[in-house]
């Protein structure tokens, strides 16, 4: 019987959806042999170790160990349940979801669903107020004055929150939404006296959407010239929704769901400080713009960017605060492995102002195409921080500039910036290079001092300790190889089940083998991708995906499988042999230290009996 999570429906969805296409919407993938390679979305990395197997429809990261099928990818990335991931993929493939049986949702899931419905409703309500009622007339005039077209307003579903304490409160209550839950969702607020009221009042509203386009929060701009209420003087110009079950500021980038296809196509993102800058740029034809949400750029946001592109142009405000924010963002973006350039803006001008005053062509030619490398920006920023009154100030600036230039890895780039600096401050290139070398040696010396750690014995090895790499024991490798071939061949699985007299010694290997025996017993096909989906335990899913990704010879011989089985079967005997040898050594030592001749003879006799057992095991291992 087909149900919303039945095997038949799951297989239908899996067959209709390509994991490479889905993962490719979140991770920038490139073909590498038989797999696709990209930066892992589940941990921070600079070199790609995230693999997607298109043939078998599963993924595995060799960096953090994450792995599984298309369903577990969405579940892990978007924090979805299996039915949610399944239905999301079905909708993507245009497959109708069978009517579900009545299943009780968890309280958190019900809360999240209600919050999502409320945000969608309130977003439409604000947009309606702005575009269809007299309450939004002033806001529409303001937006028109700012050059925002009706098409842009419609695209971004921009709205207006009336200057009322309970407009949204009443509308939500009428539709059965809990006021307490709406306070948690950030749509309503509570006063110190316990009174619940509209969080956003007298503001132009910008819906904030997640990576799939669902409204999860709002940014509200106080309308200039709107009728002030008693508290409006103390209100901020911009107000964002608070954190909630839906909204995580540090993991959200405004406009990402719209910009992502353009970013990937152009292999570059424009990063702005605010959503108004993004919208203004989009209207002017620059559709790869995204923005943070009133906070400094976070590592999570930088990792999201790196999954979609390798290059970012920072386009922050031209004032001192904007330049300071640019400096901080550069570091975060570089740590995520991004190539960064900085677009110059005049002092005190933001991107929205510039586009409205000078137009799209000027923004393209004079700002974006003039984007400078990081070192050029840092030198420019350095000059703005110095007031040169005398030669001492000049020398301090040059010394700091030399340190910045020395951080470059490329000798060609260093030479280029050194020549520019020498020309700018009327220095000979030779003197500047000498100063650069002196500063470099000093920086190097300081870095080495910073790295000094307590040594175990400096007189011998100067604190350096080399750890030898240890190979896994033979049985461990044998178990992994058997599991690899068992996932691909039912006959090998049956042979292992029949001939392995011992359990796999690694608990996870043994559990995965048990899953394989059950998988084939239920009549399932030889398909690692389907088997990975069959496995219920997340850690075992990761183990299975990692094993399935191994590069092994598929034409394995019966002799080789036999050798692996022998390694598994012999391990308990080898372990027992080591135990007996230890026991025999102990008995000999006890005999040597015995107080009497009788005690010594008794211990030696026990050692001889143990020796016979050792000989039997050694012969068994030779024969077996």
């Amino acid at each position: 019987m087909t149900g919303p999570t039945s095997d038949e429906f799951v297989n239908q969805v899996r067959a209709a959806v390509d994991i490479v296409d889905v993962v490719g919407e979140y991770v920038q993938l490139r073909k590498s042999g038989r797999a696709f390679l990209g930066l892992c979305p589940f941990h921070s990395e600079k070199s790609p170790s995230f693999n997607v197997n298109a043939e078998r429809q599963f993924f595995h990261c060799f960096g953090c160990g994450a792995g599984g099928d298309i369903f577990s990818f969405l579940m892990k990335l978007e924090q979805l349940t299996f039915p949610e991931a399944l239905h999301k993929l079905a909708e993507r493939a245009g497959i109708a979801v069978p009517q579900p049986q009545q299943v009780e949702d968890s309280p958190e899931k019900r809360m999240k669903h209600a919050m999502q419905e409320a945000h969608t409703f309130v977003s439409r309500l604000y947009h309606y107020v702005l575009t269809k009622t007299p309450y939004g007339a002033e806001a529409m005039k303001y937006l028109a004055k700012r050059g925002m077209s009706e098409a842009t307003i419609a695209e971004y579903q921009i709205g207006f929150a009336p200057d009322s304490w309970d407009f949204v409160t009443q509308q939500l209550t009428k539709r059965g939404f809990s006021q307490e839950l709406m306070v948690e969702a950030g749509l309503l607020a509570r006063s110190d006296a316990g009174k619940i009221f509209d969080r956003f009042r007298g503001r132009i509203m910008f819906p904030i959407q997640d990576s799939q386009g669902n409204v999860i929060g709002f940014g509200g701009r106080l309308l200039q010239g709107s009728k002030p209420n008693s508290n409006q003087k103390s209100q901020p110009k911009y107000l964002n929704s608070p954190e909630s079950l839906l909204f995580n500021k540090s993991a959200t980038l405004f406009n990402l769901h719209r910009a992502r296809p353009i970013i990937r196509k152009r292999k570059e993102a424009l990063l702005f400080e605010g959503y108004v800058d993004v919208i203004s740029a989009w209207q002017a034809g620059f559709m790869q713009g995204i923005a943070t949400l009133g906070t400094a750029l976070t590592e999570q946001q930088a990792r999201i960017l790196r999954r979609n592109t390798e290059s970012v142009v920072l386009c922050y405000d031209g004032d001192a605060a904007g330049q300071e924010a640019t400096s901080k963002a550069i570091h975060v973006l570089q740590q995520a492995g991004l190539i960064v350039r900085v677009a110059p803006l005049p002092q005190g001008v933001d991107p929205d102002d510039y586009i409205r005053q000078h137009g799209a062509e000027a923004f393209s030619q004079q700002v974006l195409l003039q984007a400078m490398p990081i070192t050029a920006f840092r030198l420019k920023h350095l000059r703005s921080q110095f007031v040169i009154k005398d030669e001492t100030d000049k020398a301090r600036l040059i010394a700091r500039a030399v340190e910045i230039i020395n951080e470059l890895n490329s000798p060609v780039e260093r030479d280029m910036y050194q020549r520019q600096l020498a020309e700018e401050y009327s220095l000979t290139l030779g003197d500047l290079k000498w100063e650069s070398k002196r500063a470099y040696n000093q920086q190097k010396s300081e870095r080495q001092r910073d790295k000094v750690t307590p040594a175990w014995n400096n007189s011998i090895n100067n604190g350096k300790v080399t750890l030898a790499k240890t190979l896994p024991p033979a049985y461990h490798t044998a178990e992994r190889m058997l599991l690899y071939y068992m996932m691909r061949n039912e006959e090998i699985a049956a042979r292992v089940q029949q001939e392995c007299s011992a359990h796999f010694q690694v608990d996870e290997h043994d559990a995965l083998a048990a899953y394989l025996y059950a998988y084939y017993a239920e009549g399932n096909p030889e398909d690692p991708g389907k088997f990975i989906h069959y496995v219920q335990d997340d850690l075992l899913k990761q183990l299975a995906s990692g094993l399935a990704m191994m590069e092994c010879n598929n034409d394995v011989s019966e002799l080789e499988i036999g050798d692996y089985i022998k390694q598994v079967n012999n391990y308990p005997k080898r372990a027992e042999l080591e135990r007996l040898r230890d026991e025999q050594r102990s008995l000999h030592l006890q005999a040597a230290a015995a107080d009497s001749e009788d005690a010594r003879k008794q211990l030696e006799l026990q050692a001889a009996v143990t020796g016979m057992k050792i000989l039997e095991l050694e012969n068994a291992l030779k024969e077996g």
Side-chain angles (χ1 to χ4, degrees):
M1 183 175 178
T2 303
T5 57
S6 67
D7 289 345
E8 182 182 343
F9 180 58
V10 169
N11 291 332
Q12 184 184 5
V13 173
R14 184 192 290 110
V17 180
D18 186 357
I19 191 172
V20 175
D21 292 339
V22 175
V23 174
E25 292 182 2
Y26 301 86
V27 180
Q28 193 174 20
L29 297 173
R30 62 177 175 80
K31 192 83 165 65
S32 178
R34 291 185 295 177
F36 287 83
L37 196 63
L39 291 170
C40 181
F42 305 118
H43 81 289
S44 181
E45 63 177 6
K46 294 181 181 178
S47 299
S49 57
F50 182 82
N51 286 256
V52 180
N53 187 305
E55 181 185 358
R56 301 293 188 178
Q57 293 289 293
F58 64 87
F59 72 93
H60 184 78
C61 175
F62 290 98
C64 68
D69 59 4
I70 182 59
F71 304 109
S72 47
F73 175 82
L74 271 187
M75 289 165 66
K76 188 174 177 66
L77 192 69
E78 295 198 16
Q79 301 301 301
L80 302 177
T81 62
F82 174 71
E84 287 172 339
L86 174 62
H87 296 169
K88 189 180 184 75
L89 290 170
E91 183 180 342
R92 172 194 174 96
I95 299 172
V97 179
Q99 286 299 314
Q101 297 175 348
Q102 287 297 106
V103 178
E104 187 69 21
D105 289 332
S106 67
E108 183 174 317
K109 183 179 177 182
R110 290 198 300 269
M111 288 169 62
K112 193 172 181 180
H113 181 70
M115 286 182 179
Q116 185 70 76
E117 281 191 339
H119 274 81
T120 302
F121 165 70
V122 172
S123 175
R124 291 171 180 163
L125 181 64
Y126 284 149
H127 184 65
Y128 179 81
V129 171
L130 174 70
T131 58
K132 303 296 183 184
T133 75
Y135 300 106
E138 286 300 315
M140 281 294 281
K141 286 180 185 177
Y142 172 79
L143 292 171
K145 185 179 177 183
R146 295 290 298 253
M148 210 166 282
S149 70
E150 290 185 9
T152 299
I153 291 169
E155 171 66 29
Y156 282 85
Q157 286 293 289
I158 298 168
F160 182 68
D163 199 2
S164 164
W165 290 96
D166 62 356
F167 172 72
V168 171
T169 304
Q170 288 185 26
Q171 295 296 326
L172 287 170
T173 303
K174 283 180 184 177
R175 281 156 181 79
F177 290 104
S178 159
Q179 288 189 1
E180 295 292 333
L181 185 60
M182 294 301 98
V183 170
E184 285 190 50
L187 294 171
L188 306 180
R190 188 195 306 276
S191 70
D192 293 338
K195 180 179 174 61
I196 293 177
F197 57 92
D198 292 6
R199 178 177 293 277
F200 298 100
R201 305 178 308 282
R203 292 179 180 274
I204 296 170
M205 302 301 294
F206 300 90
I208 297 168
Q209 292 152 307
D210 63 16
S211 62
Q212 300 304 302
N214 302 307
V215 179
I216 57 174
F218 291 94
R221 188 197 190 283
L222 204 58
L223 179 61
Q224 292 178 354
S226 65
K227 182 181 177 181
N229 59 49
S230 58
N231 290 331
Q232 205 172 68
K233 291 180 181 177
S234 62
Q235 288 186 3
K237 182 178 178 182
Y238 286 98
L239 179 67
N240 284 333
S241 294
E243 299 267 321
S244 71
L245 278 174
L246 289 181
F247 184 38
N248 180 356
K249 282 183 191 176
S250 62
T252 304
L253 286 165
F254 179 78
N255 202 49
L256 178 63
H257 70 290
R258 280 188 199 87
R260 183 165 48 207
I262 313 300
I263 288 171
R264 292 189 173 178
K265 183 178 179 181
R266 299 184 181 178
K267 294 181 171 51
E268 183 177 81
L270 298 180
L271 181 58
F272 296 99
E273 279 189 277
Y275 30 77
V276 175
D277 296 326
V278 170
I279 295 170
S280 186
W282 184 89
Q283 183 172 279
F286 307 101
M287 298 181 179
Q288 68 272 43
I290 50 175
T292 52
L293 297 162
T295 58
L297 182 75
T298 67
E299 291 180 11
Q300 283 175 283
Q301 290 167 332
R303 288 201 296 270
I304 292 168
L305 267 173
R306 182 62 185 89
R307 293 201 298 264
N308 290 280
T309 184
E310 295 179 352
S311 180
V312 175
V313 174
L314 271 170
C315 199
Y316 282 10
D317 296 358
D319 57 15
Q323 296 301 290
E324 195 61 36
T326 299
S327 295
K328 292 176 181 177
I330 284 171
H331 176 72
V332 177
L333 292 167
Q334 282 187 309
Q335 288 295 105
L338 284 150
I339 300 166
V340 187
R341 292 183 297 131
V342 182
L345 281 168
Q347 176 70 28
V349 176
D350 63 32
D352 173 49
D353 292 334
Y354 191 96
I355 291 170
R356 285 190 293 108
Q357 292 169 16
H358 303 285
E361 183 66 21
F363 184 70
S364 174
Q365 297 295 322
Q366 302 302 319
V367 178
L368 298 184
L369 290 179
Q370 301 301 318
M372 61 185 77
I374 292 170
T375 301
F377 167 78
R378 292 180 68 192
L379 292 172
K380 181 182 177 183
H381 186 54
L382 176 69
R383 294 184 194 99
S384 69
Q385 294 177 314
F386 273 82
V387 177
I388 299 179
K389 298 177 181 176
D390 52 34
E391 293 301 309
T392 302
D393 292 335
K394 180 178 174 181
R396 285 175 54 237
L397 188 153
I398 291 170
R400 182 70 190 98
V402 164
E403 289 179 5
I404 291 172
I405 294 169
N406 280 346
E407 291 175 16
L408 287 166
N409 292 323
S410 167
V412 175
E413 282 189 275
R414 286 200 301 271
D415 182 74
M416 180 184 70
Y417 283 110
Q418 286 166 353
R419 289 176 185 276
Q420 290 177 4
L421 192 64
E423 185 177 344
E424 183 176 358
Y425 293 102
S426 303
L427 303 169
T428 66
L429 184 60
D431 286 344
L432 189 64
K433 284 188 175 290
W434 182 90
E435 173 61 22
S436 176
K437 187 174 182 180
R438 185 199 65 78
Y440 175 78
N441 289 333
Q442 183 177 343
Q443 287 172 272
K444 184 178 179 182
S445 176
E446 288 173 355
R447 283 196 296 269
Q448 287 175 339
R449 282 201 302 273
D450 290 341
K451 290 180 181 178
V452 170
T453 55
W456 288 0
N457 189 337
N458 277 345
S459 63
I460 297 174
N461 63 4
N462 199 28
K464 295 178 182 176
V465 180
T466 303
L467 298 176
K469 290 185 178 179
T470 56
L471 292 172
Y475 75 86
H476 185 279
T477 302
E479 289 176 0
R480 288 175 63 86
M481 294 303 296
L482 285 174
L483 288 168
Y484 172 87
Y485 289 116
M486 288 163 70
M487 279 193 282
R488 286 164 167 76
N489 191 307
E490 185 177 359
E491 288 185 7
I492 290 176
R495 180 182 174 186
V496 171
Q497 187 176 17
Q498 183 178 359
E499 295 182 17
C500 266
S501 56
H503 286 290
F504 284 4
Q505 296 302 308
V506 179
D507 289 343
E508 291 81 1
H509 293 174
D510 200 43
L512 201 60
Y515 262 116
L516 272 163
Y517 301 146
Y519 174 79
Y520 286 127
E522 292 174 16
N524 290 302
E526 298 168 336
D527 186 332
K530 288 186 178 179
F531 172 67
I532 289 167
H533 173 72
Y534 177 85
V535 175
Q536 299 299 308
D537 184 272
D538 287 340
L539 290 176
L540 293 180
K541 264 187 196 293
Q542 293 181 17
L543 173 62
S545 64
L547 292 171
M549 278 288 183
M550 292 195 309
E551 294 288 337
C552 301
N553 180 15
N554 288 329
D555 298 326
V556 63
S557 66
E558 290 190 12
L559 181 62
E560 188 176 347
I561 294 297
D563 285 340
Y564 292 140
I565 292 172
K566 187 185 295 184
Q567 288 288 352
V568 174
N569 286 339
N570 283 347
Y571 176 75
K573 297 175 186 175
R574 293 185 190 282
E576 175 64 9
L577 186 62
E578 285 303 310
R579 190 193 68 77
L580 289 171
R581 284 170 176 166
D582 287 342
E583 180 182 310
Q584 188 182 48
R585 280 192 292 269
S586 176
L587 288 168
H588 283 311
L589 289 171
Q590 291 176 54
D595 295 334
S596 66
E597 183 64 17
D598 287 344
R600 185 189 66 77
K601 287 180 178 179
Q602 186 66 31
L603 290 166
E604 288 290 0
L605 182 61
Q606 291 178 29
V609 172
T610 302
M612 291 173 63
K613 293 178 182 178
I614 289 171
L615 188 60
E616 287 176 8
L617 267 178
E618 286 176 340
N619 289 333
L621 284 170
K622 286 177 184 176
E623 293 171 3

